[in-house]
C-alpha cells in the first residue's frame, strides 16, 4: 500500500490502544467523582480566538498552529490547546450564568506543527479539565489533586509536581519591568529581543542552551509577588500538603501560553528525557476578558495522553484492561453457525464479551482463532450437539471440556466469567 499516516501523527492500534482507552476511562471516573461534567467542543475555531487568548507572542500562535482559509474566506485553526475553546463554549452557551464554578472536562486530538519526536507529535491527545468562575485557592488545589490522584491510580510513582505563581495584574507589571531590564542586557537574537518587549516571561521558557545559560541570574517572580498573591500561593500549597500531595517550588516555571496568572504548575516525569513534561496548567483570570467576555476567573490543565502512555511503559506499569473476548464460538456446519450466531448475540446482551469464527472454518482453524482471541472459553457446536440441544464448553486454560444444555449456556458462562 502506498498510503501512510501523516508524519507526526501518533496512532494507537491493539494492543497498545487498550492502554490508551483504559487511562482515558480512569480519568473520566476521577473527574466525575469531583463533580466535573463532560463536554465536546469544536476541533477547529476562529483563528482570532487563539491569537487573542493564547497570545500572539507565543510559539504556539506564531509558529505551530495549523491555520487555513475555508471556502467562505474565514480563517480557521485546528485547536492547539483546549482552554480557549472550552471558555468560548461556556460563554456562548451561558453556562457561567448558573452555579459557579462551572466544572468541565473533555478530551481529544490537539494539533501543533512541531518537529516530530518521541512524546512530541503534530497530532497528539490531551485530557482537559477546567473550573471556571471562582477565584479560590481550594479550587486550584482541587484541580491539581484530580490530576495527581489520576496519575497515582494508574500506578505511576515517579511523577513530580512543579509549582509556581505568576502573580496578578497588580504585581506582574513591576516584575515585568525588572525582567525586561535584565533581559535587554543579554546577548540575544533579534527575535528573542522582540519577544522581550511583547512578553518577557516567554524568554524564561526558552529551552535553547545558549539562552538558558544567560538566564541564571534573572529576577524571579516569587520575589516580586504582592501580599495577596503570596498569601494565595501559600494557601494553595497548604491545601496540597493537607492532601498529602508533594510539590517542588519551580521559580522559573512560566508554561508556554500567555493567559496564565497566579497558580502555575507542571507534572514532570524524569524517565521521559527531554520531553519530561506530561501535563500542566494554571490559573487564567484574564482570559475571558481577552476573548471579549466578562470578568470570569478560571483554572485548568491539559494532560498528555501520549506521554502518559510512554511514562507507564518506562515505569513498567501494565494496566489491567477488560478482555476483548471472554467466550469464542466454534460452529461446524451452516445450521450450527446460525445457532451459534444467536448464542453469541445472547451472550453479549448478558454482558459477556463474545466472538465467533466466521467464514466456515474447520475445527482446527477455528480453534486457532479461539486461542488468538484471548478468550477463556470456547463453545463448540456440531451436528451431534444440535441433535442433543447442547454445546461443548471448553476451558482454554485447563483444556477441560463439559457439555451444557443450549438453554442454560448463557447463564452458566455468565457465572463463570463475572
Amino acid at each position: 500500500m502506498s498510503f501512510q499516516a501523516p508524519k507526526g501523527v501518533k496512532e494507537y492500534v491493539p494492543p497498545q490502544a487498550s492502554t490508551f482507552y483504559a487511562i482515558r476511562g480512569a480519568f473520566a471516573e476521577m473527574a466525575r467523582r469531583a463533580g466535573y461534567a463532560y463536554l465536546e467542543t469544536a476541533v477547529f475555531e476562529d483563528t482570532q480566538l487563539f491569537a487573542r487568548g493564547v497570545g500572539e507572542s507565543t510559539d504556539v500562535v506564531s509558529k505551530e498552529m495549523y491555520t487555513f482559509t475555508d471556502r467562505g474566506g474565514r480563517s480557521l485553526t485546528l485547536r492547539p490547546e483546549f482552554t480557549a475553546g472550552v471558555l468560548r463554549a461556556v460563554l456562548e452557551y451561558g453556562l457561567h450564568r448558573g452555579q459557579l464554578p462551572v466544572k468541565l472536562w473533555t478530551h481529544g486530538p490537539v494539533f501543533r506543527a512541531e518537529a516530530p519526536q518521541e512524546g512530541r507529535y503534530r497530532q497528539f491527545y490531551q485530557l482537559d479539565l477546567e473550573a471556571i468562575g471562582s477565584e479560590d485557592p481550594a479550587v486550584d488545589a482541587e484541580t491539581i489533586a484530580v490530576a495527581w490522584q489520576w496519575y497515582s491510580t494508574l500506578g505511576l510513582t515517579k511523577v513530580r509536581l512543579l509549582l509556581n505563581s505568576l502573580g496578578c495584574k497588580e504585581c506582574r507589571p513591576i516584575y515585568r519591568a525588572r525582567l525586561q531590564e535584565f533581559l535587554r542586557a543579554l546577548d540575544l537574537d533579534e527575535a528573542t529581543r522582540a519577544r522581550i518587549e511583547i512578553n518577557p516571561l516567554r524568554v524564561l521558557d526558552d529551552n535553547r542552551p545558549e539562552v538558558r545559560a544567560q538566564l541564571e541570574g534573572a529576577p524571579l517572580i516569587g520575589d516580586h509577588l504582592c501580599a495577596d498573591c503570596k498569601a494565595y500561593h501559600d494557601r494553595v500549597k497548604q491545601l496540597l500538603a493537607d492532601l498529602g500531595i508533594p510539590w517542588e517550588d519551580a521559580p522559573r516555571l512560566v508554561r508556554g501560553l500567555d493567559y496564565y496568572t497566579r497558580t502555575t504548575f507542571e507534572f514532570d516525569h524524569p524517565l521521559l528525557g527531554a520531553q519530561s513534561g506530561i501535563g500542566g496548567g494554571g490559573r487564567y483570570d484574564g482570559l475571558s476578558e481577552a476573548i471579549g467576555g466578562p470578568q470570569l476567573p478560571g483554572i485548568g490543565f491539559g494532560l498528555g495522553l501520549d506521554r502518559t502512555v510512554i511514562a507507564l511503559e518506562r515505569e513498567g506499569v501494565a494496566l489491567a484492561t477488560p478482555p476483548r473476548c471472554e467466550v469464542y464460538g466454534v460452529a461446524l456446519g451452516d445450521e450450527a453457525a446460525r445457532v451459534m450466531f444467536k448464542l453469541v448475540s445472547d451472550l453479549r446482551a448478558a454482558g459477556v464479551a463474545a466472538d465467533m469464527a466466521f467464514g466456515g472454518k474447520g475445527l482446527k482453524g477455528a480453534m486457532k482463532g479461539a486461542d488468538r482471541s484471548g478468550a477463556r472459553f470456547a463453545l463448540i457446536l456440531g451436528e451431534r450437539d444440535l441433535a442433543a440441544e447442547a454445546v461443548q464448553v471448553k476451558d482454554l486454560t485447563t483444556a477441560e471440556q463439559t457439555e451444557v444444555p443450549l438453554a442454560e449456556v448463557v447463564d452458566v458462562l455468565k457465572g463463570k466469567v463475572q
Side-chain angles (χ1 to χ4, degrees):
M1 188 183 70
S2 59
F3 295 105
Q4 294 181 331
K7 185 178 180 181
V9 173
K10 177 62 177 176
E11 297 181 305
Y12 292 90
V13 299
Q16 191 185 47
S18 62
T19 299
F20 182 93
Y21 183 81
I23 64 177
R24 188 177 63 187
F27 184 83
E29 177 60 18
M30 198 67 63
R32 184 194 67 80
R33 292 179 189 174
Y36 288 79
Y38 183 73
L39 84 161
E40 282 278 359
T41 61
V43 175
F44 56 87
E45 299 267 8
D46 186 310
T47 299
Q48 283 303 304
L49 174 68
F50 299 118
R52 292 169 61 182
V54 175
E56 295 194 50
S57 68
T58 63
D59 284 347
V60 171
V61 172
S62 63
K63 300 178 183 179
E64 298 171 0
M65 295 201 311
Y66 281 102
T67 298
F68 60 96
T69 302
D70 73 358
R71 294 182 180 182
R74 294 171 287 265
S75 179
L76 301 173
T77 296
L78 297 177
R79 62 185 177 209
E81 59 94 46
F82 273 103
T83 301
V86 170
L87 183 55
R88 186 269 309 152
V90 167
L91 297 173
E92 181 175 348
Y93 296 102
L95 301 182
H96 61 298
R97 299 190 185 101
Q99 182 178 352
L100 297 177
V102 183
K103 299 168 71 172
L104 302 166
W105 79 277
T106 187
H107 70 89
V110 186
F111 307 87
R112 295 186 190 177
E114 299 186 284
Q117 53 185 296
E118 185 182 47
R120 185 180 289 273
Y121 309 114
R122 292 172 177 170
Q123 175 180 305
F124 55 101
Y125 298 88
Q126 281 192 346
L127 295 162
D128 179 86
L129 181 141
E130 312 288 346
I132 298 168
S134 176
E135 190 174 3
D136 185 332
V139 176
D140 299 30
E142 177 189 86
T143 302
I144 294 170
V146 170
W148 182 265
Q149 290 162 3
W150 174 66
Y151 287 128
S152 298
T153 296
L154 295 180
L156 291 174
T157 62
K158 299 185 182 299
V159 176
R160 300 159 58 221
L161 169 59
L162 309 180
L163 192 64
N164 195 20
S165 174
L166 295 183
C168 65
K169 62 182 179 181
E170 302 300 326
C171 56
R172 177 103 66 100
I174 300 171
Y175 172 67
R176 186 178 189 274
R178 286 284 311 277
L179 181 60
Q180 284 178 315
E181 181 182 358
F182 173 85
L183 294 174
R184 287 170 185 148
L186 303 183
D187 181 19
L188 302 170
D189 59 86
E190 288 304 314
T192 306
R193 288 194 167 280
R195 182 171 287 180
I196 293 171
E197 307 308 318
I198 300 171
N199 189 338
L201 269 72
R202 293 279 63 74
V203 180
L204 298 180
D205 205 34
D206 198 313
N207 288 319
R208 291 175 295 175
E210 65 273 19
V211 175
R212 298 209 67 80
Q214 299 184 68
L215 296 175
E216 287 298 323
L220 302 176
I221 182 67
D223 297 331
H224 296 78
L225 295 178
C226 64
D228 285 347
C229 283
K230 186 177 186 308
Y232 192 100
H233 194 49
D234 288 343
R235 181 67 169 172
V236 172
K237 292 192 286 187
Q238 180 60 59
L239 290 168
L240 291 174
D242 291 344
L243 297 179
I245 298 176
W247 74 89
E248 299 178 30
D249 284 315
R252 298 185 188 279
L253 178 65
V254 297
R255 302 285 297 155
L257 309 176
D258 278 359
Y259 52 59
Y260 287 119
T261 58
R262 284 193 169 171
T263 304
T264 306
F265 57 92
E266 183 169 294
F267 297 102
D268 178 89
H269 197 288
L271 299 184
L272 268 66
Q275 307 303 327
S276 61
I278 60 175
R283 181 160 282 283
Y284 47 85
D285 293 342
L287 179 57
S288 177
E289 295 157 283
I291 64 174
Q295 196 280 326
L296 196 65
I299 185 170
F301 60 64
L303 307 180
L305 276 168
D306 308 284
R307 294 186 187 178
T308 301
V309 170
I310 297 172
L312 289 166
E313 293 171 350
R314 296 284 167 82
E315 285 201 37
V317 177
L319 297 183
T321 57
R324 178 176 63 87
C325 182
E326 295 167 307
V327 178
Y328 192 88
V330 174
L332 306 176
D334 291 343
E335 181 60 21
R338 185 180 69 83
V339 174
M340 182 63 74
F341 186 77
K342 175 65 165 55
L343 186 57
V344 165
S345 179
D346 290 343
L347 284 165
R348 293 170 180 170
V352 177
D355 201 355
M356 64 177 287
F358 293 99
K361 294 179 180 177
L363 179 61
K364 185 176 180 180
M367 290 305 293
K368 283 185 179 179
D371 290 334
R372 290 169 181 165
S373 74
R376 180 182 169 189
F377 296 99
L379 300 183
I380 305 169
L381 187 64
E383 291 183 4
R384 283 186 295 181
D385 300 305
L386 285 173
E389 296 186 348
V391 64
Q392 304 300 316
V393 177
K394 184 173 183 178
D395 187 324
L396 296 175
T397 59
T398 65
E400 181 183 353
Q401 184 168 309
T402 57
E403 183 175 278
V404 177
L406 276 172
E408 300 175 13
V409 69
V410 171
D411 289 336
V412 168
L413 286 169
K414 186 177 178 181
K416 288 180 178 291
V417 301
Q418 295 181 347

